[in-house]
């Protein structure tokens, strides 16, 4: 957690036994983790099966509900009614999560609903608390780029590459931002 940008104070303040946060079920956590890996690898259907199994194993697993909500809201599934239901469940369960998980749920929910300015504000707040989170930084940059703010996204992508220089998706995102800015040579 320290390597991800949390201070010792934040770690001590938010430290609670695992059964009180996230999920007490190792099986549910494994299903959720596998689903997240598959989603990142664009194997969405299998990812959904894992997320659904995680929720079946532990119906109180807020992050698994949020993952389902984000997936249902996505253009891949385009089922906002189901997405709304899953995010609402995640928010009801949010008191069982860490501050970081709760902030992540709220940010992804705002983004999924198309409340872009709220999502951008929540990303900034999230990154102020957890500046080492390269995934959140990349998602923030992507949201900026997708909404006509590529100039702001470029330095964020560069920061992500400083942390994860072998991440091909960040290079693609950065090249896309440069292309949007008319900087073809930088894009190449």
């Amino acid at each position: 957690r320290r390597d991800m940008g949390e201070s010792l104070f934040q770690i001590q303040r938010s430290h609670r036994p695992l059964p009180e946060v996230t999920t007490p079920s190792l099986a549910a956590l494994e299903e959720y983790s596998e689903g997240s890996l598959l989603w990142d690898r664009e194997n969405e259907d299998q990812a959904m099966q894992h997320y659904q199994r995680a929720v079946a194993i532990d119906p109180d697993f807020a992050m698994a509900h949020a993952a389902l909500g984000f997936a249902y809201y996505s253009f891949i599934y385009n089922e906002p009614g189901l997405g709304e239901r899953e995010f609402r469940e995640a928010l009801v369960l949010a008191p069982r999560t860490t501050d970081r998980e709760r902030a992540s749920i709220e940010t992804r929910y705002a983004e999924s609903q198309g409340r872009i300015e709220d999502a951008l504000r929540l990303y900034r707040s999230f990154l102020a608390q957890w500046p080492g989170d390269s995934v959140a930084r990349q998602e923030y940059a992507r949201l900026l780029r997708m909404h006509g703010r590529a100039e702001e996204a470029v330095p964020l992508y560069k920061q992500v590459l400083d942390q994860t220089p072998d991440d091909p998706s960040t290079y693609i995102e950065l090249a896309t931002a440069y292309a949007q800015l008319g900087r073809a040579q930088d894009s190449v």
Side-chain angles (χ1 to χ4, degrees), residues 145-157:
R145 181 191 59 72
M146 290 176 57
H147 294 287
R149 296 166 68 175
E151 189 80 38
E152 295 173 64
V154 167
L156 296 169
Y157 287 132

Side-chain angles (χ1 to χ4, degrees), residues 55-133:
V55 167
I57 293 167
D58 180 4
D60 294 333
F61 190 178
M63 290 298 288
H65 282 286
L68 282 169
F70 187 76
Y72 283 131
Y73 262 111
S74 75
F75 72 91
I76 296 161
Y77 290 99
N78 195 26
E79 296 190 44
L82 294 175
E84 182 70 17
R85 184 187 76 203
E86 293 296 338
F87 267 120
R88 287 196 181 274
E89 185 65 22
L91 291 169
V92 166
L93 297 168
R96 291 192 61 212
T97 64
T98 64
D99 292 343
R100 187 184 192 126
E101 289 173 325
R102 189 171 14 281
S104 176
I105 291 168
E106 291 169 355
T107 303
R108 300 301 289 277
Y109 183 46
E111 181 179 350
S112 294
Q113 285 192 316
R115 295 183 290 119
I116 303 308
E117 288 306 315
D118 286 343
L120 291 171
R121 179 183 48 76
L122 289 166
Y123 272 121
R124 283 190 298 273
S125 175
F126 185 98
L127 289 167
Q129 288 189 281
W130 300 284
D133 191 319

Side-chain angles (χ1 to χ4, degrees), residues 158-171:
K158 288 180 178 181
Q159 290 171 4
V160 172
L161 288 172
D162 287 343
Q163 290 178 280
T164 56
D166 296 333
D167 181 21
S169 65
T170 305
Y171 285 103

